[in-house]
Amino acid sequence: MKLHQNKAPMGWNSYDYYDTTVNEAQVKANADYMAAHLKDAGWEYVVVDIQWYAGDAGTMRDRYQYIPFGETEMDGYGRLLPDVKRFPSSAGGRGFGPLADYVHGLGLKFGIHIMRGIPRSAAHRHLPILGSEVTADQAADPSSICGWNPDMYGLRKDMEGSQKYYDSIINMYADWGVDYIKCDDICNTNLYPNNPYSGAHEVEMLYTAIQKSGRDIVLSLSPGPALIEKAWHYEKYANMWRITDDFWDRWDLLRNMFDRCELWQNHVAPGAYPDCDMLPLGKLGGGFGNGEWDTHFTKEEQITMMTLWCVFGSPLMAGAELTKLDDWTLWLLTRKDILKLVSNDYVGRQYEKNRDYAIWSCLNACTEERYLAFFNFREEPLQIFCSVEEVEQFAGRTSGIRKAAELWSGADREVTEGVLTDWVPAHGARLFVLQED
Amino acid sequence: MKLHQNKAPMGWNSYDYYDTTVNEAQVKANADYMAAHLKDAGWEYVVVDIQWYAGDAGTMRDRYQYIPFGETEMDGYGRLLPDVKRFPSSAGGRGFGPLADYVHGLGLKFGIHIMRGIPRSAAHRHLPILGSEVTADQAADPSSICGWNPDMYGLRKDMEGSQKYYDSIINMYADWGVDYIKCDDICNTNLYPNNPYSGAHEVEMLYTAIQKSGRDIVLSLSPGPALIEKAWHYEKYANMWRITDDFWDRWDLLRNMFDRCELWQNHVAPGAYPDCDMLPLGKLGGGFGNGEWDTHFTKEEQITMMTLWCVFGSPLMAGAELTKLDDWTLWLLTRKDILKLVSNDYVGRQYEKNRDYAIWSCLNACTEERYLAFFNFREEPLQIFCSVEEVEQFAGRTSGIRKAAELWSGADREVTEGVLTDWVPAHGARLFVLQED
Amino acid sequence: MKLHQNKAPMGWNSYDYYDTTVNEAQVKANADYMAAHLKDAGWEYVVVDIQWYAGDAGTMRDRYQYIPFGETEMDGYGRLLPDVKRFPSSAGGRGFGPLADYVHGLGLKFGIHIMRGIPRSAAHRHLPILGSEVTADQAADPSSICGWNPDMYGLRKDMEGSQKYYDSIINMYADWGVDYIKCDDICNTNLYPNNPYSGAHEVEMLYTAIQKSGRDIVLSLSPGPALIEKAWHYEKYANMWRITDDFWDRWDLLRNMFDRCELWQNHVAPGAYPDCDMLPLGKLGGGFGNGEWDTHFTKEEQITMMTLWCVFGSPLMAGAELTKLDDWTLWLLTRKDILKLVSNDYVGRQYEKNRDYAIWSCLNACTEERYLAFFNFREEPLQIFCSVEEVEQFAGRTSGIRKAAELWSGADREVTEGVLTDWVPAHGARLFVLQED
Amino acid sequence: MKLHQNKAPMGWNSYDYYDTTVNEAQVKANADYMAAHLKDAGWEYVVVDIQWYAGDAGTMRDRYQYIPFGETEMDGYGRLLPDVKRFPSSAGGRGFGPLADYVHGLGLKFGIHIMRGIPRSAAHRHLPILGSEVTADQAADPSSICGWNPDMYGLRKDMEGSQKYYDSIINMYADWGVDYIKCDDICNTNLYPNNPYSGAHEVEMLYTAIQKSGRDIVLSLSPGPALIEKAWHYEKYANMWRITDDFWDRWDLLRNMFDRCELWQNHVAPGAYPDCDMLPLGKLGGGFGNGEWDTHFTKEEQITMMTLWCVFGSPLMAGAELTKLDDWTLWLLTRKDILKLVSNDYVGRQYEKNRDYAIWSCLNACTEERYLAFFNFREEPLQIFCSVEEVEQFAGRTSGIRKAAELWSGADREVTEGVLTDWVPAHGARLFVLQED
């Protein structure tokens, strides 16, 4: 079943630190840390990202991120299995079952990354598809490939064998205990100039397979930017979809996310989340071949990122190596009073955006809690003014707001003649909760 | 003040019948009819469309819809005034004041059409702008024109004189008693390939002028298609914006509206309405030079149109000559049980759309009223099935739905094993209210 | 060596009649016919088109034109060989050598079709490349595929192994005695939206391999439309390049060719020929699965086609099954007085083109022979007038032209007061040679 | 009559130095200088560029280059006349007649700049068109404007009044003695996204008017980039057309010109010249409001520019203030042995272009003179090698070339084993004449 929940997923993903190389021990260590330090603040998904089936992953990093025509684990039905060298518990055909059990044992949930389609080598070897007369070479579409990863062929539309293949892998994942599937090369395939969402039928097939599996599974689509014209389709068939290309720790990308959030803000709904991508915080990049680094974001930029992701309602997936988290980052990731805004009970809307700054409101219609976020785009501090009265009027209310507490700092601010103002640091943010008296 | 209301505007617009030629007596006759027969069902705006200031409007219809460099009424500040020959009550500089008073006297509201910008002839004559040192030639942007109408120049960005000109016209309209302004050549200017919303700053200026005027005025933007990337801007600064190019009584345009409604459904909000354009029903086209005609839509298509506009939540502006309404069309326009869905209390969402049909749900979260609409795109009758249970599940509910009443026909339908089904005529629609027992 | 000749290639190509299925006996029969009936008029190339290496070619024609992941003949270096069942003389690794010898024995030349790149299965099998340390999986670019044929991967840029692979196949073809290579999926790869000529480096590699081979080989690039922005590159590295998508016997395609010829007329040069594609005349389509047909072109349209191809200077490749040529078509293909215009000694230029008709001039600067062609685009006969004086003036001459002989019909026409006129049938053409007295 | 000549036009244009402000005395001074120092090297046209009719040209240069709705000289038929204050000899309705006479008296030719269309104020004032019943408001197309200049409306297609207006101005110019018309906003109108050559019918009208005028007049079209798809149209109806946007003294623009010349090289023909734009040499920019400057091109870049323009065959229009020419620039502009290459007797072709350098050949087929030009794109000196044998082979010759003389420096170079080589400075060029012994 496609998960129907009331809050954007929160978790950890191996990519930002490990690239293609993560192994079982590393996954467990991050899961342990999450259970001990982050679970209480709402973090729950532990996700193994790309290339877990590749025996040679990371061995030619100077030339390839994804080695073409390399070694992969695969069963007789063309279903990829974890590389046993990196995931020893998968030996004997147990797949990710034991690792999922381990994660579940910590009270957490387990996720994996997959590529759209069927392995190219399964097609070239004419492998059978489980439960179908059709063979891999017949279901594979030889002209449907991923532009950046050489592993798969897309599956043909309107072909029973294609659905059967997706059924066969989703059932296997459900058996393993997978709670979250991040499917790549599908949200924006970039393949055909006039049809960048050319895998739309495969999204429907994945959805159907998940519905039939009987297990609650989050379906997350990558990479972005998702196509706003297809918003209804993403929303109907998936739980999350990436609204940007890969996000990293650069201000220009963070600044750009305000444009993406403006575009997608009306599409956050229970069980359906436009996805701003992983949070590149703490230690990053250990597996990328040039040594790990500390996030290039300033502390103010980190606060801006956390504030935007929360008021917008994006999924939150930490990219940091958790076992190396410093106190500051841990504090940032455990502010329950702020993280609660990713719940669908809180509706975020951009109130203003110009060259210099943005203002968002966030409202809980039931509890009448009201928040305002200020964001400074400039390279120097900026005093931002906001007429709380107009915001309220805009939302169809009469305001009685008199005070505001800034959540990150704990500072109080008066609302004078209906106007809230504060100095905001360069690239920084303020998040206020408004109070009537 | 930009109107903040909880229901899409409903009214009559002179264009579909009169083209550029409507006169005072005709406007009054339609207003009289509306007061007598439609007001009770929620219809209230009477809107005078394009070219009311043109002395020669309609006189060269075989060659021009809009005569270039023709006669216009204008005051000394470059503000266009009604053509006194067609609108005698405007004599003596009273503008639309007397006509607005007449409409108000019927318990209705009064609207007019304007073109973005300042008259070209005001710029060529270097006329002063009221309340500004700047003259028309300085505020006018000679490279900002409308592609299809020769009357105006757009106003420059970041220039005090531009805002002053908009202030001067909006204040005059407010003095006249105007309740609704349909501004044309502004929603999609089609002017610059890379900036089809090149008049965005003029939308902000109109909004500012309306806010300052102190009068509640609906701001409606044309023509479409509006740009989904600019949704936030339309929603913040206007009340309505056209999501299609001119809509007329052709099935292909009606079919296309399902795509537009899919795209814009998440953007219907109190005071903010994506606009599907006028309803081409009844008698049309009397002023277009080739004689009036009856709508080319079949009755089934008319039901489809009314149903879609209502469940989506579009403004409803009748295009028919009201004094010639037949019984069928009057019945169609006075179904209060259906028209109530344009209220923001009812939220419409597309549940399914494929080559053959579409299904929409419409929900009142407070009262828990639930509706389902079936639409048949085919040229022959089609039996449409819908799992009410899945719709409910999708919306996060457990269903107890057992019965459905079709509103247009009054017929009852059972919901058997969670599934509602009905035969729907070619291009036709069914609108069901769901019941728990 | 890239052929440097003074006349566009003329020959026969198996595709229009045989699709993917042509066999040795059929090739020989067509060669025999050419030698007996067409060679004297200048026809010389016999070209075996696509899929000669596929064992299952044509066996699933209802579902696939090109069967994915099918059986292919290949040597240990990943070089495709003729399917022995269809080309028995190729047995024992002799490839097309014996067939080429046969064709040469008739005084004709032999050509083959290839797809850009290296076989996908060679990459998946990690085959060695002749004369290189690099293996097929390393030289193949897994993201460079053909959109409509599943056989190959493109070869990587700036990689020694890629050039070696092209060297290895061109040397083999040269050994066989191949005189003409039609390389497909390379002139317009349609692959990357911003780089439809993404195989440009492979064109250079083919050119280099041909230069090194020491054999005169025509290099022909497909499919079109070629990119006018890349005209210099085609002209430098190839002999022919397709300026349209596949051309068939439909008037709209023929009408469109006038636009293509207008665009490319300045790019006809010795050894460099924009290619209007095969001539769909006579019996066509025998191998396409639905039975052969007679060209759908009227006789007038056939004359239009022959006239345009000749005055423009396109290569002439007959698509008809030659052994079934009727007298009319044979006459059309053996008009030596007209076919001589494909020589580079004659320069064709469009003089006029409008909605109704086109006029081309064709001039031999040495001999001062002058031709004019009239083409009627309309559905009914049209009288076309042309001021011969202006044409001459345009070309910098003073005219003494007094008479004209129409070549297809043999009719004489007077040039009166500098004007030549004639009635031209619907979709038809007239080709005049101008005379001074 | 559209001029039919065998050599690209050479002359001087007022824009690069004077912007919109040039006056009669300045034009005469430049003409005097040309007659005394440049005429002998082939320079002959003296061209008055944009805004000669504007009374306020240059008076608000900080805000506008072209003042909207400003003062203009115009006769009763909407034909613009020179501003009498700046061109005193034009008083009494004599227009540019006296100035043209002066220039002719020096043995030179006289040219002017015009904007496509009819003055906007003529349309707003409903002025008559000479020789037509149609008035300016009827012939003007109010939706056809220039994006950067506010003066004109384009003229309607298929309207007799439009042709009459062009006839009326061209006849007046012919009476004045104008030899060269640079028409702006017509080669690439940039107006309609899908039709950037929207003024094509006006090019035809100008051509027709020139043909009827009986005077030899060069028709030059601006601005660029011209559309390669329309090459035939430019070539048929005009003498010159701009292949780039405005060219100035910046290396990136000069580097880019190699791409433009590659694209257009096959379109240089007698009377038809793709135009690389003015030569920004010597003193520039005196009228642009911030003081004159010396060309920013290094001497090597100037040599590169002169060499490319000559081997390509571009028109040569000096942009420098001639009365301030230094010795170096004068030397550059009077190298008759190099300037002769702009004749159509010499055909230039790009032989090679890569990231680092380009090689062009230039051949006189009659005299068999052969040139080679080397161009270094890099920021440091580069040794360029060229196989003269291959160039010759490519051109269908057998080479006997043994020596080369570099023309700019006079240095000799040996051709060893068929290869010519030289070190070329950063951004510099070498131009060799090849010799057989």
Side-chain angles (χ1 to χ4, degrees), chain A residues 1 4 228-229 232 235-237 262-263 265-267 350-353 393-396, chain B residues 1 4 228-229 232 235-237 262-263 265-267 350-353 393-396:
Chain A
M1 303 276 297
H4 191 86
I228 188 68
E229 301 77 20
W232 175 80
E235 197 166 333
K236 168 135 193 189
Y237 294 110
E262 175 188 310
L263 186 62
Q265 58 183 316
N266 293 43
H267 297 277
Q350 180 181 286
Y351 178 70
E352 183 68 70
K353 194 183 73 184
Q393 217 165 53
F394 199 77
Chain B
M1 303 278 295
H4 191 85
I228 189 69
E229 300 78 19
W232 176 80
E235 199 167 331
K236 167 136 193 188
Y237 294 110
E262 175 188 310
L263 186 61
Q265 57 184 316
N266 293 40
H267 297 276
Q350 180 180 284
Y351 177 70
E352 184 69 71
K353 194 184 73 185
Q393 219 164 48
F394 199 78

Side-chain angles (χ1 to χ4, degrees), chain A residues 63 108 116 136 142 149 157 202 246 265 302 357 367 422:
Chain A
R63 291 167 53 196
L108 301 173
R116 173 178 69 91
N149 177 292
K157 205 173 172 177
E202 295 180 87
D246 282 13
Q265 58 183 316
Q302 294 176 49
Y357 66 88
T367 61
D422 204 356

Side-chain angles (χ1 to χ4, degrees), chain B residues 12 18 26 28-33 320-326:
Chain B
W12 172 83
Y18 290 102
Q26 292 158 344
K28 283 182 172 175
N30 277 277
D32 292 345
Y33 184 95
E321 166 57 29
L322 297 182
T323 63
K324 300 186 179 184
L325 275 197
D326 59 307

Side-chain angles (χ1 to χ4, degrees), chain B residues 296-311:
Chain B
H296 297 120
F297 280 137
T298 65
K299 286 186 176 180
E300 296 300 349
E301 289 166 344
Q302 295 176 48
I303 282 175
T304 289
M305 175 173 67
M306 290 302 297
T307 306
L308 180 62
W309 269 235
C310 288
V311 296

Side-chain angles (χ1 to χ4, degrees), chain A residues 52-55 69-84 90 92-95 117-129 136-137 150-153 165 168-169 172-173 176, chain C residues 124:
Chain A
W52 42 260
Y53 49 75
F69 319 114
E71 310 156 30
T72 53
E73 294 283 340
M74 192 182 301
D75 74 7
Y77 295 110
R79 298 184 297 184
L80 293 164
L81 300 174
D83 172 34
V84 177
S90 72
R94 285 174 296 165
I118 193 166
R120 291 193 193 185
S121 64
H124 284 274
R125 292 159 60 198
H126 294 214
L127 292 184
I129 290 173
D137 54 303
D151 295 340
M152 318 296 275
Y153 287 126
Y165 181 75
S168 79
I169 58 169
M172 183 175 74
Y173 302 154
W176 290 349
Chain C
H124 284 273

Side-chain angles (χ1 to χ4, degrees), chain C residues 1-2 4 228-229 232-233 235-237 262-263 265-267 350-353 393-396, chain D residues 1-2 4 228-229 232 235-237 262-263 265-267 350-353 393-396:
Chain C
M1 302 279 296
K2 177 185 154 188
H4 190 87
I228 188 68
E229 301 77 18
W232 175 80
H233 199 270
E235 197 165 335
K236 167 134 194 190
Y237 294 110
E262 175 188 310
L263 186 63
Q265 59 184 315
N266 293 42
H267 298 276
Q350 180 181 284
Y351 178 69
E352 183 69 72
K353 194 183 71 183
Q393 218 164 50
F394 199 79
Chain D
M1 301 278 295
K2 178 185 154 187
H4 191 85
I228 188 69
E229 300 79 18
W232 176 80
E235 197 166 333
K236 169 136 192 188
Y237 295 110
E262 175 188 311
L263 185 63
Q265 59 184 314
N266 292 43
H267 297 276
Q350 179 181 286
Y351 177 69
E352 183 68 71
K353 194 184 71 183
Q393 218 165 49
F394 199 79

Side-chain angles (χ1 to χ4, degrees), chain D residues 370 388-389 392 398-403 435-437:
Chain D
R370 305 165 198 188
V388 175
E389 284 202 25
E392 294 281 301
T398 312
S399 181
I401 301 297
R402 296 284 164 73
K403 285 174 54 183
Q435 293 151 348
E436 296 223 355
D437 214 39

